[in-house]
Amino acid sequence: MFEYSRPIAYHETDAMGVVHHSNYIRLFEDCRVAYLRENNLSDCHYPDFDMTLAVLSVSCEHRHPLYFADNIKVLMQARLERLKIYFRYAIYSTRFDIAVAHGQTVHVPVNSRFNVCRLPKRLKLHLETEQWTETWP
Amino acid sequence: MFEYSRPIAYHETDAMGVVHHSNYIRLFEDCRVAYLRENNLSDCHYPDFDMTLAVLSVSCEHRHPLYFADNIKVLMQARLERLKIYFRYAIYSTRFDIAVAHGQTVHVPVNSRFNVCRLPKRLKLHLETEQWTETWP
Amino acid sequence: MFEYSRPIAYHETDAMGVVHHSNYIRLFEDCRVAYLRENNLSDCHYPDFDMTLAVLSVSCEHRHPLYFADNIKVLMQARLERLKIYFRYAIYSTRFDIAVAHGQTVHVPVNSRFNVCRLPKRLKLHLETEQWTETWP
Amino acid sequence: MFEYSRPIAYHETDAMGVVHHSNYIRLFEDCRVAYLRENNLSDCHYPDFDMTLAVLSVSCEHRHPLYFADNIKVLMQARLERLKIYFRYAIYSTRFDIAVAHGQTVHVPVNSRFNVCRLPKRLKLHLETEQWTETWP
């Protein structure tokens, strides 16, 4: 299971003093980008390769707010199903033992003209080895 | 059905030349805020009133990208179900006849200490008159 | 003098309850884009024309914070000086009589390969008619 | 001289394929926050302490664009002058030998009611030891 962590940025907070809900979607993306980078797969993706994982859908459920002083950890799983790639995420704050939010994004590989394209071989092979557990935090 | 429209801001685009997917969530929020304002309900909400509609969940499905040159129109419906408020959205570009994206957000009223609270009476009454159609664009 | 106004978006606020300082820079941009649009000059700019006004520098001075409930008005002046275009801005809230912030951005026209290019004739002619007052609010 | 580095996030790019100019201001902030954290001074600041460094002014000069694939390094210096704190920044990409951007922000300590306040002793002492070089990259 891929793990990504970083501190909260101050500009991610809103007037309630918590991370604005739209920024969880950006946090999911930061986690996906780190996943490609740390698995040496960045060269299968824009800008090194004419493929980007277009977003078909996003969802996120919130249980607890995140605060500026929090450090966050994201657990992520990936699953390839024909042309679609599913990522699911569980976000933890250092201050809680349970996930503060869960989410999922679904993607399809497209080229720079937004036509659906094949996944680069190495990325495809890597995704096929990923585990998608029955239960999820 | 509430309707909100505005042009795309340049800073909402990303390196693919389209509106970044996280910004659809912000667009939903802009639409909710306009809904309260245009129905003279802003005084039922932060900062005029100690209540904010905390986000329990968000989801969005994408069919077509949005471009900088697009003008967007959002159609929105609201539904009150006990303490939860459901908003659903359909986003249109001026260049397509069909919706480019659909989404939903679910909310619960909380006070500034993030405790669940009652809806202000006027807001509650207004939400109870809203129509939630069987079919949705 | 060009005038642009819009309400504050909730996602523009930060944990201090005020508009985050980086969003003033986006507000300047929103004002420039509206200036081109309202003067029918959008077709002189990306994406209709292979020219964008690359940002050479930005500055902003803050006198008062802006709040979610504020409506903002931006006054803007433009000045062409050889290849450089200067825009200066004064931001007003509906609740103060004086400007809450002042700023300036300096631009140079570039094409999509980031090479400096000529200004489209119509945009050039329009900018040459702009007034740059000695004093500025 | 404080040094901060991180990769570019995809959501920081714009339709020109480069980091949007407003995000340099956020990068400056990320660097300041890291400076406080790495010097164990976070407890002198919001939310641990009723003080935040309100922004009086920002400026940034751009020499080269930053791309999604770039890793960035920020060099920062701080200077205390009576109640004002000056930070200046030089941003480097891993692909250039020179700074791609320079900037400065000026701050004053305020409490949560936006009244100017004293700097916490430890932060004041730390800032007084900082060096502000005559030349700057």
Side-chain angles (χ1 to χ4, degrees), chain B residues 77-93:
Chain B
Q77 287 190 338
R79 182 165 62 97
L80 179 63
E81 204 178 290
R82 292 169 183 257
L83 259 183
K84 287 186 187 170
I85 302 130
Y86 296 77
F87 290 101
R88 63 180 176 191
Y89 317 83
I91 301 182
Y92 296 79
S93 148

Side-chain angles (χ1 to χ4, degrees), chain B residues 3-9 12 19 23-24 26-28 30 65-75 90-95 100-101:
Chain B
E3 189 176 323
Y4 169 72
S5 60
R6 66 164 172 80
I8 299 286
E12 292 178 310
V19 172
N23 290 327
Y24 289 71
R26 297 185 175 191
L27 188 49
F28 293 166
D30 291 346
L66 285 167
Y67 294 86
F68 173 49
D70 287 339
N71 278 285
I72 46 180
K73 184 179 72 174
V74 187
L75 295 184
I91 301 182
Y92 296 79
S93 148
T94 52
R95 304 186 308 155
V100 299

Side-chain angles (χ1 to χ4, degrees), chain D residues 70-81:
Chain D
D70 286 339
N71 278 286
I72 44 178
K73 184 179 72 173
V74 186
L75 295 184
M76 187 182 84
Q77 288 191 336
R79 184 164 61 98
L80 179 63
E81 206 178 289

Side-chain angles (χ1 to χ4, degrees), chain D residues 19-84:
Chain D
V19 172
H20 190 266
H21 62 285
S22 65
N23 290 328
Y24 289 70
I25 310 299
R26 297 184 175 193
L27 188 49
F28 293 166
E29 179 181 88
D30 292 345
C31 182
R32 292 195 303 276
V33 169
Y35 168 81
L36 292 178
R37 193 190 308 119
E38 292 182 26
N39 287 294
N40 295 314
L41 293 164
S42 295
D43 58 353
C44 298
H45 194 277
Y46 167 88
D48 291 332
F49 194 83
D50 184 19
M51 190 282 296
T52 190
L53 294 175
V55 177
L56 294 181
S57 68
V58 300
S59 63
C60 186
E61 284 178 46
H62 300 270
R63 293 187 189 172
H64 293 280
L66 284 167
Y67 294 86
F68 173 48
D70 286 339
N71 278 286
I72 44 178
K73 184 179 72 173
V74 186
L75 295 184
M76 187 182 84
Q77 288 191 336
R79 184 164 61 98
L80 179 63
E81 206 178 289
R82 293 168 183 257
L83 259 183
K84 287 186 187 170

